[in-house]
Amino acid sequence: MKSFKKIYIEITNVCNLSCSFCPRTKRDMAFMSERSFEEIIQKINPHTDYVCFHVKGEPLLHPKLGAFLDICNNYGIKVNITTNGTLITKVLKELAGKDALRQVNFSLHSFGGREEEKEKYLQDILWASEELLRTTKTNISYRFWNLDQEADQGLAEEEESGENSEMDDTGKYLKILEEAYGIEGSLKHLAAPGRGIKIADRVYISRDYQFTWPSLTEEEDEGKGFCYGLRSHAGILADGTVIPCCLDGEGAISLGNIYEKSLEDIINSPRAKAIHSGFSNRKAVEELCRKCGYRKKFSLS
């Protein structure tokens, strides 16, 4: 059995957007080289069958995206890509026909362009999705991870009273998706927070509440809880730094560098073992983990 269900690889930490919910990294801007990428794939191949091109940065910016997919295919590794989707029509040729492609996640809550650009943005993604479904075996997931619990409660009360609120961007996008896929009923109500629904063959919608990226500047809590970091997954930053999960966007918990050590040595290091053992006892031993609200989402009783 492989060590991890998936490993996140940050092929670049550069992004073409500046989203309020995703602070830009303070690390040096970097694009992983093809040689470095293949070295990583060789080292992690015994440990996982799946990689995700995601930590910080926009993976569709990488000029070697197609080559990276071919490398993964050569090693029998499947790839998930998480993207804001703004560049999809420009790089579609790099994705079309790639056997390694398993899933493309479009973060539709990311785009905040001018009003006249918004519908074209989604229509481009819909067109590209059709091409990807036709030329690959990939799944498509449209993500709306921007829900606000307090706002949702207010909306529910407003709808119950019969009042109508102005439709936001998410509402407009969901309406377009309803029409594009012939959905009966409102996707706003069909797609419950935290759960995905299938709307067509190999096409899904995922809605969830917005989360705050953990930071050492955030307030620390008591540290109780659980995390799947170093259990189901781990991450590798653009400079080769291995991190316990995809939310350590600044590499605060550096476990070692994949170019200098084997992944096995890194995940068996004292620091990595302490993290794993701590969460086995429902305790966060790292400062960043004690300042991570996302951990509570996966806490086990």
Side-chain angles (χ1 to χ4, degrees):
M1 183 178 294
K2 300 292 180 79
S3 308
F4 298 112
K5 182 178 179 180
K6 56 190 173 184
I7 292 179
Y8 293 85
I9 302 179
E10 184 187 69
I11 61 175
T12 179
N13 59 12
V14 179
C15 189
N16 61 324
L17 297 183
S18 297
C19 300
S20 60
F21 57 84
C22 183
R24 286 186 177 273
T25 179
K26 298 177 182 177
R27 294 176 284 124
D28 292 339
M29 301 293 98
F31 286 83
M32 192 175 286
S33 72
E34 187 173 345
R35 180 177 179 180
S36 296
F37 180 79
E38 184 159 15
E39 180 180 346
I40 289 174
I41 294 299
Q42 289 174 339
K43 288 189 171 184
I44 69 173
N45 194 29
H47 298 275
T48 191
D49 292 321
Y50 300 94
V51 298
C52 304
F53 291 174
H54 176 60
V55 179
K56 288 293 183 74
E58 169 51 54
L60 300 193
L61 279 172
H62 204 296
K64 293 290 186 177
L65 184 61
F68 286 3
L69 287 168
D70 289 338
I71 290 171
C72 287
N73 190 56
N74 291 339
Y75 288 87
I77 289 180
K78 296 297 183 182
V79 179
N80 291 0
I81 294 177
T82 298
T83 172
N84 59 46
T86 56
L87 304 172
I88 188 61
T89 58
K90 295 181 179 179
V91 304
L92 185 59
K93 63 182 182 299
E94 300 294 327
L95 304 178
K98 298 299 185 182
D99 292 333
L101 201 58
R102 175 186 177 273
Q103 183 160 310
V104 179
N105 303 310
F106 289 105
S107 297
L108 298 183
H109 52 275
S110 300
F111 186 65
R114 294 190 299 271
E115 195 64 34
E116 63 270 21
E117 297 175 323
K118 292 177 181 178
E119 186 167 344
K120 182 182 184 304
Y121 162 71
L122 185 53
Q123 292 297 343
D124 284 348
I125 287 175
L126 288 171
W127 173 78
S129 296
E130 290 182 7
E131 289 298 301
L132 290 172
L133 291 169
R134 183 178 63 83
T135 64
T136 72
K137 296 181 180 179
T138 192
N139 297 302
I140 300 293
S141 177
Y142 301 120
R143 288 182 174 181
F144 296 90
W145 288 10
N146 60 345
L147 294 175
D148 182 283
Q149 287 180 302
E150 292 183 5
D152 265 14
Q153 179 61 34
L155 179 61
E157 294 172 354
E158 189 176 85
E159 291 177 342
E160 188 175 338
S161 67
E163 298 178 10
N164 293 318
S165 62
E166 184 177 350
M167 187 178 291
D168 59 8
D169 289 341
T170 295
K172 293 175 184 176
Y173 288 162
L174 289 173
K175 200 71 177 176
I176 293 173
L177 290 172
E178 290 166 12
E179 295 173 359
Y181 290 98
I183 305 298
E184 296 184 4
S186 169
L187 283 173
K188 182 171 284 190
H189 301 298
L190 293 173
R195 298 182 63 184
I197 64 166
K198 184 177 182 178
I199 61 173
D201 185 32
R202 293 155 51 206
V203 182
Y204 302 84
I205 281 185
S206 172
R207 299 190 74 207
D208 211 337
Y209 294 105
Q210 183 174 314
F211 70 93
T212 301
W213 280 81
S215 168
L216 292 175
T217 62
E218 295 295 322
E219 186 176 348
E220 187 171 324
D221 63 23
E222 74 284 357
K224 295 180 180 179
F226 182 83
C227 179
Y228 287 98
L230 294 179
R231 294 175 186 268
S232 68
H233 63 276
I236 301 174
L237 298 179
D239 66 354
T241 299
V242 177
I243 52 177
C245 81
C246 65
L247 294 181
D248 185 4
E250 293 303 314
I253 309 176
S254 172
L255 301 176
N257 194 289
I258 194 70
Y259 302 132
E260 300 169 358
K261 298 179 181 179
S262 69
L263 184 60
E264 185 172 359
D265 285 344
I266 291 172
I267 62 177
N268 284 305
S269 66
R271 189 174 189 180
K273 283 188 172 182
I275 294 170
H276 191 283
S277 176
F279 280 123
S280 293
N281 295 305
R282 307 297 185 262
K283 184 71 175 178
V285 300
E286 289 283 345
E287 180 184 357
L288 185 70
C289 299
R290 294 192 296 271
K291 296 180 175 182
C292 178
Y294 209 68
R295 161 176 48 88
K296 299 178 181 178
K297 179 176 179 179
F298 298 107
S299 293
L300 303 178
S301 58

